[in-house]
Amino acid sequence: MPQEPLRRVLAWPRGPRGLILYGDSGQGKTRSACLLLRQLVDAGVRCEAIHAVAFGDEIATRFSRFEGTAWLKRYERAEALLFDDLGKEPATERVQTELFGLVERRTAQFRPIIVTTQLAPDELAERYTGHVADALIRRLREFCEPVQFPLTKTTLGV
């Protein structure tokens, strides 16, 4: 695992500004984020974690049963939230709207989000569309400190 990004993640000064860990698959982003969450839990912080694909699946399921709002409260109220693999969730308008709503409510309440993604900040802006895209990316940039993990030779086209 790359030591410099890991050191930055584990040295995160808990507060309203979260982290966005980005880089190629297999570089240790999720493992680093989980180690950070373990530190937080050991310190008595109430944490939640969800994978982007599960988030998208649950949006469809929960809202079809009229349970969506109550289900999202769990992630909204956590003292720290790990959102793993941002950009892998289904790109439906509903999923993007609920993701933006979650990010908006958390940032308005100064609750940090730790995000992992294979997409660089500029690529994230290209991933999202519609009326929430600009606002979602703006909040992530404003409320999350970026931590880049190494790029592999495959990404660099070598």
Side-chain angles (χ1 to χ4, degrees), residues 3-13 19 145-148:
Q3 293 303 300
E4 179 56 24
L6 173 62
R7 183 197 62 72
R8 288 186 59 203
V9 170
L10 295 180
W12 174 63
L19 296 169
E145 181 70 29
V147 178
Q148 182 179 354

Side-chain angles (χ1 to χ4, degrees), residues 15-74:
R17 190 165 164 81
L19 296 169
I20 185 162
L21 316 180
Y22 69 97
D24 289 338
S25 179
Q27 295 302 306
K29 298 177 303 294
T30 298
R31 194 170 346 149
S32 297
C34 288
L35 288 170
L36 174 59
L37 255 57
R38 168 62 60 197
Q39 281 184 346
L40 294 172
V41 168
D42 289 348
V45 177
R46 192 172 47 83
C47 300
E48 290 287 348
I50 190 162
H51 190 274
V53 173
F55 181 83
D57 292 345
E58 287 294 321
I59 291 296
T61 301
R62 300 287 181 150
F63 278 91
S64 71
R65 296 188 305 211
F66 304 99
E67 301 169 351
T69 303
W71 173 76
L72 281 171
K73 291 283 184 202
R74 162 183 172 182

Side-chain angles (χ1 to χ4, degrees), residues 12 14-19 78-82 106 110-114 143:
W12 174 63
R14 192 171 136 216
R17 190 165 164 81
L19 296 169
E79 292 177 70
L81 172 65
L82 167 58
R106 288 193 61 81
F110 302 105
R111 294 179 185 267
I113 305 169
I114 294 108
F143 289 96

Side-chain angles (χ1 to χ4, degrees), residues 56-152:
D57 292 345
E58 287 294 321
I59 291 296
T61 301
R62 300 287 181 150
F63 278 91
S64 71
R65 296 188 305 211
F66 304 99
E67 301 169 351
T69 303
W71 173 76
L72 281 171
K73 291 283 184 202
R74 162 183 172 182
Y75 299 104
E76 180 183 325
R77 292 179 179 157
E79 292 177 70
L81 172 65
L82 167 58
F83 197 94
D84 191 32
D85 256 340
L86 181 68
K88 297 273 179 96
E89 69 281 355
T92 67
E93 185 175 337
R94 181 62 186 257
V95 170
Q96 289 186 50
T97 298
E98 297 304 334
L99 174 60
F100 169 73
L102 178 60
V103 170
E104 168 65 16
R105 289 186 299 275
R106 288 193 61 81
T107 57
Q109 297 170 20
F110 302 105
R111 294 179 185 267
I113 305 169
I114 294 108
V115 175
T116 69
T117 182
Q118 291 180 23
L119 303 173
D122 291 342
E123 293 173 313
L124 276 175
E126 295 171 10
R127 165 71 168 83
Y128 298 96
T129 59
H131 67 284
V132 300
D134 290 339
L136 173 63
I137 300 307
R138 187 173 54 252
R139 279 163 185 78
L140 289 173
R141 284 183 172 155
E142 182 178 346
F143 289 96
C144 293
E145 181 70 29
V147 178
Q148 182 179 354
F149 281 70
L151 299 175
T152 64

